[in-house]
Amino acid sequence: MINAPKGTKDLLPGQSYKWQYIESIAREVANLFNAKEIRTPTFEHTEVFLRGIGETTDIVNKEMYTFNDKGDRSITLKPEGTAGVARAFVENGLHTSALPAKLYYITQCFRYERPQAGRLREFHQFGVEFLGASGYGTDAEVITLAKTLFDKLGIKNLALYINSIGCKNCRKKYSDALRAYLKSHEQDLCPLCKERMEKNPLRVLDCKNDDCKKINANAPCILDYICDECKDHFAGVQTLLKDAGVQFKVNANIVRGLDYYTKTVFEFVSENIGAQGTVCGGGRYDGLIGEFAGNDVPGIGFAVGIERLLMLMENTGVQIPCNETVKIYVAPMGEQASQKAFTLITDLRKKGISADFDHMGRGIKAQFKYADKIGAEYVAVIGSNELEKGEVKLKKMSDGSELFVKLSDVSEFLLKA
Ligand code: ATP
Ligand code: MG
């Protein structure tokens, strides 16, 4: 037997309705905020992610699925959605059209990670990117969009943490201070953080190693280093979130893994799904588009991990509506009845009624069993008597009641039922 690759999952019938539900709510919420869908390729030139994510990140350092194609180009399966959107935004000249561009996507992502609960090698994200607006109102709107999604899905107990990591200028000052502090604790840092400390010390704050966490607890705080403009921006975001009734906590340890973030960063975190508790991560990235175009275009976005979202919903007992029933199952007895059954279901489907019938040549008892399994609301039996009279015996499965209906009247009956 050949198994699916490690860290990938099949989505089976009986489960897929959950995904369709989450996706439909995500689209509905995006519409409420006037965001439009963008779809970008599953793979890009590797360069897109080197520029768009940053060479000091975990993603670029160790998690990308990169290979040379037959034309010897370096290709990478998308590990996240933002870099491809930024590339598409510039390539298609969206920066010259009406701004802000309010975009959303639902996509699979690929990262070579150690698979565990909430961590896969192929996973899915719902993401939002608002490009072209630099004011704090956009930050508040994007955060509110994520919050609206969680509310509409009926998710409670998600903590929202926000922070500001400043602009390029204040980041530089902070990086220097942080590096000096980390240097004085260098011997206790994990090997990776020893490297990070030199290249991008903020990344150390993101480390999950216990020793590094202890050192981080007493590190200088970024909020003491941000400039007045960044401070005002952050204060503005908080005022609007309060006005919108969105509860949050300022958490100076949230720095996010990607290099391109500036100013506001945020995470929605759950205590109900174990170690992989971050369901949504996002932030402002005023320097990203500049990596692809001549000029900078400000932007802000987030991505929600759909697997983690679903885990959270299932672990906390959130109901996911399922309406995967079939209105009618037609149970023929014999060859001639089968032909009639086929004509009947074809007609019913034309009228918008979901219908199924026997494909297996089963006896009538087995057909009823099957109809029950697929959740048929009605079963129509066509035997020799019914054939003769041009009618069906219709059984309502929920209460067992039966009646005879003329073949030509079945659709009318069901449309009213
Ligand atoms: P983590 O710290 O858990 O590795 P991250 O910072 O790498 O997360 P992002 O790049 O911000 O994650 O991606 C946004 C969201 O995508 C995460 O909050 C999470 O819900 C989801 N996600 C990220 N990596 C995976 C993965 N390997 N499997 C499943 N979901 C993931
Ligand atoms: Mg990660």
Side-chain angles (χ1 to χ4, degrees):
M1 190 177 61
I2 302 176
N3 295 325
K6 203 172 152 184
T8 66
K9 270 198 177 147
D10 298 311
L11 179 57
L12 301 176
Q15 294 293 316
S16 45
Y17 76 91
K18 298 177 184 174
W19 284 72
Q20 290 170 4
Y21 173 69
I22 291 177
E23 287 166 12
S24 72
I25 299 286
R27 289 178 195 282
E28 188 185 315
V29 170
N31 275 334
L32 276 178
F33 284 74
N34 190 32
K36 303 282 185 273
E37 185 178 13
I38 182 166
R39 299 188 192 192
T40 64
T42 303
F43 55 88
E44 298 271 359
H45 293 294
T46 302
E47 181 72 17
V48 167
F49 303 114
L50 299 185
R51 287 192 196 196
I53 299 177
E55 308 208 9
T56 63
T57 58
D58 284 352
I59 296 181
V60 168
N61 273 327
K62 46 182 196 186
E63 295 172 1
M64 295 207 302
Y65 277 91
T66 299
F67 56 94
N68 279 10
D69 71 5
K70 292 198 166 65
D72 217 23
R73 299 171 197 91
S74 179
I75 294 292
T76 296
L77 304 184
K78 63 164 105 162
E80 51 87 84
T82 308
V85 169
R87 195 264 316 134
F89 176 83
V90 172
E91 183 174 338
N92 295 286
L94 297 185
H95 56 302
T96 61
S97 63
L99 293 178
K102 301 172 83 169
L103 309 170
Y104 80 90
Y105 57 80
I106 297 174
T107 184
Q108 59 272 76
C109 300
F110 306 87
R111 296 187 194 176
Y112 194 76
E113 301 202 66
R114 195 167 66 78
Q116 50 198 293
R119 196 175 289 289
L120 292 143
R121 290 185 174 171
E122 182 181 18
F123 64 99
H124 299 77
Q125 288 185 339
F126 164 64
V128 162
E129 320 287 353
F130 285 10
L131 295 159
S134 59
Y136 59 79
T138 311
D139 305 35
E141 182 172 62
V142 165
I143 295 172
T144 308
L145 195 164
K147 171 74 170 124
T148 306
L149 171 70
F150 302 133
D151 287 348
K152 279 220 179 258
L153 288 171
I155 294 169
K156 298 189 182 78
N157 304 328
L158 255 189
L160 165 61
Y161 298 112
I162 65 171
N163 189 26
S164 174
I165 55 170
C167 58
K168 255 193 199 144
N169 300 335
C170 27
R171 263 269 273 298
K172 168 89 179 60
K173 267 198 296 178
Y174 177 66
S175 290
D176 292 345
L178 181 60
R179 190 180 291 113
Y181 167 81
L182 293 173
K183 262 222 153 33
S184 65
H185 294 83
E186 188 172 355
Q187 67 282 3
D188 298 322
L189 288 173
C190 77
L192 200 59
C193 281
K194 281 188 183 131
E195 254 175 65
R196 287 170 172 156
M197 178 185 78
E198 297 297 343
K199 288 191 205 148
N200 186 354
L202 256 79
R203 302 269 311 108
V204 176
L205 298 179
D206 222 16
C207 185
K208 282 156 190 138
N209 177 295
D210 283 336
D211 291 333
C212 297
K213 273 190 189 162
K214 269 185 217 145
I215 296 170
N216 289 338
N218 296 314
C221 175
I222 184 129
L223 293 173
D224 296 332
Y225 288 78
I226 61 177
C227 65
D228 286 347
E229 192 209 319
C230 289
K231 262 189 199 142
D232 289 348
H233 186 99
F234 194 39
V237 176
Q238 295 182 52
T239 304
L240 288 185
L241 288 179
K242 276 184 199 146
D243 284 353
V246 176
Q247 288 184 4
F248 61 87
K249 282 202 187 97
V250 173
N251 180 344
N253 288 328
I254 304 282
V255 290
R256 308 291 310 131
L258 313 186
D259 280 355
Y260 51 63
Y261 284 108
T262 52
K263 293 184 176 163
T264 314
V265 289
F266 60 95
E267 287 183 357
F268 285 85
V269 183
S270 165
E271 310 251 289
N272 300 102
I273 49 173
Q276 268 53 253
T278 308
V279 174
C280 168
R284 178 166 277 287
Y285 44 77
D286 292 347
L288 173 64
I289 298 294
E291 293 289 330
F292 295 94
N295 348 2
D296 275 342
V297 176
I300 175 161
F302 67 75
V304 172
I306 300 182
E307 282 81 359
R308 288 189 198 176
L309 191 62
L310 192 57
M311 240 166 83
L312 172 60
M313 291 170 76
E314 288 179 335
N315 288 2
T316 56
V318 174
Q319 287 298 315
I320 302 177
C322 176
N323 39 23
E324 290 201 316
T325 54
V326 61
K327 190 81 184 173
I328 184 168
Y329 175 84
V330 181
M333 293 191 290
E335 181 78 25
Q336 232 192 323
S338 263
Q339 287 176 12
K340 264 280 176 279
F342 195 78
T343 315
L344 176 61
I345 57 167
T346 304
D347 179 55
L348 293 174
R349 288 168 182 162
K350 273 187 193 151
K351 291 177 173 141
I353 298 164
S354 61
D356 204 351
F357 87 134
D358 178 49
H359 288 268
M360 310 297 284
R362 290 189 174 108
I364 194 70
K365 236 179 148 179
Q367 290 203 54
F368 266 98
K369 239 187 179 167
Y370 178 76
D372 196 42
K373 249 191 210 156
I374 61 171
E377 274 180 57
Y378 289 87
V379 174
V381 178
I382 310 181
S384 47
N385 272 345
E386 286 83 8
L387 267 181
E388 221 167 83
K389 294 188 186 155
E391 58 185 23
V392 300
K393 187 163 83 177
L394 205 57
K395 180 172 179 176
K396 188 173 183 179
M397 296 297 273
S398 59
D399 61 11
S401 60
E402 291 180 347
L403 77 168
F404 288 92
V405 179
K406 283 240 158 310
L407 267 170
S408 53
D409 294 343
V410 174
S411 60
E412 203 180 323
F413 176 89
L414 291 175
L415 285 171
K416 285 190 203 142

mmCIF file of all heavy atoms in Angstrom, residues 43 45 67-75:
data_model
loop_
_atom_site.group_PDB
_atom_site.id
_atom_site.type_symbol
_atom_site.label_atom_id
_atom_site.label_comp_id
_atom_site.label_asym_id
_atom_site.label_seq_id
_atom_site.Cartn_x
_atom_site.Cartn_y
_atom_site.Cartn_z
ATOM 1 N N PHE A 43 3.091 27.461 -6.823
ATOM 2 C CA PHE A 43 4.555 27.592 -6.730
ATOM 3 C C PHE A 43 5.004 28.890 -7.369
ATOM 4 O O PHE A 43 4.338 29.437 -8.239
ATOM 5 C CB PHE A 43 5.272 26.388 -7.357
ATOM 6 C CG PHE A 43 4.904 26.083 -8.789
ATOM 7 C CD1 PHE A 43 5.582 26.693 -9.832
ATOM 8 C CD2 PHE A 43 3.898 25.175 -9.076
ATOM 9 C CE1 PHE A 43 5.265 26.402 -11.156
ATOM 10 C CE2 PHE A 43 3.569 24.889 -10.407
ATOM 11 C CZ PHE A 43 4.250 25.502 -11.448
ATOM 12 N N HIS A 45 8.820 31.377 -8.260
ATOM 13 C CA HIS A 45 10.284 31.381 -8.264
ATOM 14 C C HIS A 45 10.739 31.541 -6.815
ATOM 15 O O HIS A 45 10.189 32.377 -6.082
ATOM 16 C CB HIS A 45 10.812 32.540 -9.116
ATOM 17 C CG HIS A 45 10.504 32.367 -10.576
ATOM 18 N ND1 HIS A 45 11.051 31.350 -11.321
ATOM 19 C CD2 HIS A 45 9.694 33.049 -11.401
ATOM 20 C CE1 HIS A 45 10.594 31.422 -12.560
ATOM 21 N NE2 HIS A 45 9.760 32.438 -12.636
ATOM 22 N N PHE A 67 12.881 23.073 -5.214
ATOM 23 C CA PHE A 67 13.475 22.111 -6.149
ATOM 24 C C PHE A 67 13.758 22.807 -7.474
ATOM 25 O O PHE A 67 13.193 23.873 -7.742
ATOM 26 C CB PHE A 67 12.528 20.924 -6.379
ATOM 27 C CG PHE A 67 11.167 21.333 -6.874
ATOM 28 C CD1 PHE A 67 10.886 21.355 -8.246
ATOM 29 C CD2 PHE A 67 10.168 21.711 -5.985
ATOM 30 C CE1 PHE A 67 9.630 21.752 -8.708
ATOM 31 C CE2 PHE A 67 8.912 22.109 -6.439
ATOM 32 C CZ PHE A 67 8.645 22.123 -7.792
ATOM 33 N N ASN A 68 14.601 22.209 -8.267
ATOM 34 C CA ASN A 68 14.822 22.735 -9.608
ATOM 35 C C ASN A 68 13.880 22.033 -10.567
ATOM 36 O O ASN A 68 13.757 20.808 -10.540
ATOM 37 C CB ASN A 68 16.264 22.485 -10.045
ATOM 38 C CG ASN A 68 17.198 23.533 -9.456
ATOM 39 O OD1 ASN A 68 16.800 24.312 -8.586
ATOM 40 N ND2 ASN A 68 18.433 23.553 -9.915
ATOM 41 N N ASP A 69 13.188 22.796 -11.406
ATOM 42 C CA ASP A 69 12.299 22.148 -12.377
ATOM 43 C C ASP A 69 13.126 21.683 -13.576
ATOM 44 O O ASP A 69 14.351 21.840 -13.604
ATOM 45 C CB ASP A 69 11.116 23.058 -12.754
ATOM 46 C CG ASP A 69 11.523 24.244 -13.613
ATOM 47 O OD1 ASP A 69 12.714 24.342 -14.009
ATOM 48 O OD2 ASP A 69 10.654 25.087 -13.903
ATOM 49 N N LYS A 70 12.449 21.116 -14.570
ATOM 50 C CA LYS A 70 13.189 20.529 -15.689
ATOM 51 C C LYS A 70 13.933 21.574 -16.504
ATOM 52 O O LYS A 70 14.846 21.274 -17.253
ATOM 53 C CB LYS A 70 12.246 19.704 -16.571
ATOM 54 C CG LYS A 70 11.763 18.461 -15.850
ATOM 55 C CD LYS A 70 11.201 17.430 -16.820
ATOM 56 C CE LYS A 70 11.021 16.080 -16.187
ATOM 57 N NZ LYS A 70 10.026 16.045 -15.104
ATOM 58 N N GLY A 71 13.521 22.838 -16.346
ATOM 59 C CA GLY A 71 14.246 23.920 -17.031
ATOM 60 C C GLY A 71 15.330 24.511 -16.139
ATOM 61 O O GLY A 71 15.849 25.579 -16.428
ATOM 62 N N ASP A 72 15.601 23.816 -15.023
ATOM 63 C CA ASP A 72 16.652 24.219 -14.097
ATOM 64 C C ASP A 72 16.390 25.559 -13.410
ATOM 65 O O ASP A 72 17.307 26.287 -13.064
ATOM 66 C CB ASP A 72 18.022 24.239 -14.802
ATOM 67 C CG ASP A 72 19.100 23.743 -13.846
ATOM 68 O OD1 ASP A 72 18.746 23.015 -12.894
ATOM 69 O OD2 ASP A 72 20.276 24.122 -14.036
ATOM 70 N N ARG A 73 15.089 25.878 -13.224
ATOM 71 C CA ARG A 73 14.739 27.074 -12.444
ATOM 72 C C ARG A 73 14.491 26.634 -11.012
ATOM 73 O O ARG A 73 13.889 25.594 -10.787
ATOM 74 C CB ARG A 73 13.446 27.702 -12.961
ATOM 75 C CG ARG A 73 13.505 28.151 -14.384
ATOM 76 C CD ARG A 73 12.109 28.555 -14.874
ATOM 77 N NE ARG A 73 12.106 28.591 -16.330
ATOM 78 C CZ ARG A 73 11.794 27.557 -17.105
ATOM 79 N NH1 ARG A 73 11.407 26.408 -16.577
ATOM 80 N NH2 ARG A 73 11.834 27.672 -18.422
ATOM 81 N N SER A 74 14.892 27.466 -10.073
ATOM 82 C CA SER A 74 14.606 27.135 -8.673
ATOM 83 C C SER A 74 13.182 27.547 -8.343
ATOM 84 O O SER A 74 12.797 28.713 -8.450
ATOM 85 C CB SER A 74 15.587 27.838 -7.742
ATOM 86 O OG SER A 74 15.251 27.490 -6.412
ATOM 87 N N ILE A 75 12.381 26.555 -7.959
ATOM 88 C CA ILE A 75 10.954 26.724 -7.722
ATOM 89 C C ILE A 75 10.668 26.359 -6.270
ATOM 90 O O ILE A 75 11.289 25.449 -5.724
ATOM 91 C CB ILE A 75 10.171 25.764 -8.660
ATOM 92 C CG1 ILE A 75 10.358 26.143 -10.133
ATOM 93 C CG2 ILE A 75 8.711 25.651 -8.279
ATOM 94 C CD1 ILE A 75 9.722 27.453 -10.547
#
